[in-house]
Amino acid sequence: MKKVLFTLITLISLNVNSQSIDYELYTLDNGLDVILHQENSSPVVTVSVMYHVGAKDEIEGRTGFAHFFEHLLFEGTKNIERGKWFDIVSSNGGSNNANTSHDRTYYYETFPSNSLELGLWMESERMLHPIINQIGVDTQNEVVKEEKRQRIDNAPYGALIYGTAVDPYLYPKHPYGRSVIGSMEDLDAATLQEFIDFNNKWNNPNNAVLVVAGDIEIEKTKNLIEAYFGDIPNNGEVPVRETVVEDPISETIKLTEYDSNIQIPAKAFLYRTPGMTDRDSYVLQYISAVLSGGKSSRMVKRMKDDEKIALEVIAFNQPQQDYGKYLMVALPVGETSLEKLSTTMDEEIEKIKSDLISERE
């Protein structure tokens, strides 16, 4: 069994710029926020809905619900037969998927632009008429268990990639410390009514954003959105969330994680960082590009090309609503020690803190 050593500390902040995209934002009477982006260069349109509910909104003893619904809400609706969702999408030349984080759940369909109305109808069906029954719950429970086995339990570096080994140390108070996929025991113990209640509490128009982007006509799209979403009722007010504030990390935390799925150990630094709306979160995106964004970036050039001590090296910011997470990871070449990787990454951090970033970079 090989070891993966993680070091958790806090980080500094710098500066960054952002890109502007033209869009129109408005809100329906039922509270559904709508964002439209017109781009007519290709005959393609994407319809997506993001619900402001994620793993952080679950309660102790019932974790994994948000991610579970990412799967469950493809089971079918009042007007879409069970098991036919993906068939409808593919037979109309489209693609679709969904994903879940600690903060939100996201669904989308991409179609040829002449199927815009189909995409809007399908997402309105998911919001208004989902069928949540025991056969769907039992089916998706097994799907989620298999996903956990594949992506976390039996995947190389799975505990690092999905945070199950490190997030409890970064977020000892905040629910970000729990994994998005949750506890299989919690899902097994949950009743059908608890799943129905979770859906009614969170998956409402007043807790969602509809985005339509691509080859569209704005006024026509607005009329279709009003027709399909305007009359969808809310099951209640948007739930009030408790604000959880973490104490500062006052000293380095060192953690060794053993992973039987890997042949090469990894050295990783992880930092708790500001939330995604903080200016420093954008700064960290820029720092990532300087450190590992391409062959000429600082860490890649030094550690892979010049000194040849790293098989792979990467640095990136993972922004979230309340707090972010910054990762620096390196895999050693040959007999290179993890301590050597650690020293080199520390030196690059000090350079970022003390030296200006050049115009070339």
Side-chain angles (χ1 to χ4, degrees), residues 56-70:
K56 74 176 183 183
D57 299 306
E58 299 156 356
I59 61 174
E60 288 290 345
R62 289 297 181 266
T63 60
F65 270 45
H67 172 260
F68 192 83
F69 268 88
E70 173 198 322

Side-chain angles (χ1 to χ4, degrees), residues 29-197:
D29 290 342
N30 58 10
L32 177 66
D33 289 325
V34 180
I35 298 174
L36 303 179
H37 170 61
Q38 184 172 354
E39 171 52 69
N40 302 115
S41 60
S42 299
V44 177
V45 65
T46 294
V47 176
S48 64
V49 176
M50 182 176 290
Y51 294 92
H52 191 190
V53 56
K56 74 176 183 183
D57 299 306
E58 299 156 356
I59 61 174
E60 288 290 345
R62 289 297 181 266
T63 60
F65 270 45
H67 172 260
F68 192 83
F69 268 88
E70 173 198 322
H71 293 263
L72 188 61
L73 293 188
F74 282 106
E75 275 286 305
T77 74
K78 179 180 177 181
N79 297 300
I80 298 177
E81 184 181 347
R82 182 173 184 265
K84 296 298 183 181
W85 189 286
F86 297 99
D87 292 342
I88 293 172
V89 173
S90 60
S91 65
N92 284 275
S95 61
N96 68 294
N97 212 329
N99 59 69
T100 309
S101 75
H102 282 98
D103 297 315
R104 86 294 178 280
T105 311
Y106 175 70
Y107 306 87
Y108 76 88
E109 285 77 35
T110 297
F111 283 114
S113 52
N114 59 4
S115 292
L116 166 62
E117 187 169 358
L118 175 62
L120 292 171
W121 172 72
M122 294 185 76
E123 285 302 331
S124 69
E125 275 290 300
R126 195 197 310 267
M127 186 179 291
L128 179 60
H129 294 135
I131 292 180
I132 301 172
N133 56 24
Q134 196 61 53
I135 187 172
V137 168
D138 292 344
T139 299
Q140 295 308 321
N141 199 359
E142 294 306 311
V143 171
V144 170
K145 287 178 181 178
E146 181 60 25
E147 180 181 352
K148 181 176 182 292
R149 285 190 287 266
Q150 289 184 357
R151 295 190 176 184
I152 300 177
D153 298 342
N154 299 314
Y157 312 104
L160 173 61
I161 295 170
Y162 290 96
T164 55
V166 295
D167 287 355
Y169 296 89
L170 279 176
Y171 315 108
K173 293 182 178 180
H174 197 284
Y176 284 168
R178 302 193 298 250
S179 71
V180 171
I181 205 165
S183 161
M184 300 303 100
E185 291 75 18
D186 288 353
L187 294 176
D188 285 341
T191 66
L192 177 61
Q193 189 59 50
E194 286 177 304
F195 287 111
I196 293 172
D197 291 344

Side-chain angles (χ1 to χ4, degrees), residues 12 20 39 69 76-77 105 154 162 167 199 230 234 242 244 265-266 274 287 323 333:
I12 49 93
S20 177
E39 171 52 69
F69 268 88
T77 74
T105 311
N154 299 314
Y162 290 96
D167 287 355
N199 183 73
N234 292 297
E242 178 186 0
V244 180
I287 290 175
Y323 293 100
V333 168

Side-chain angles (χ1 to χ4, degrees), residues 280-301:
D280 285 351
S281 181
Y282 297 93
V283 172
L284 293 170
Q285 300 288 77
Y286 185 46
I287 290 175
S288 300
V290 172
L291 289 177
S292 68
K295 293 183 178 180
S296 63
S297 60
R298 293 183 182 184
M299 288 171 56
V300 172
K301 186 175 187 304

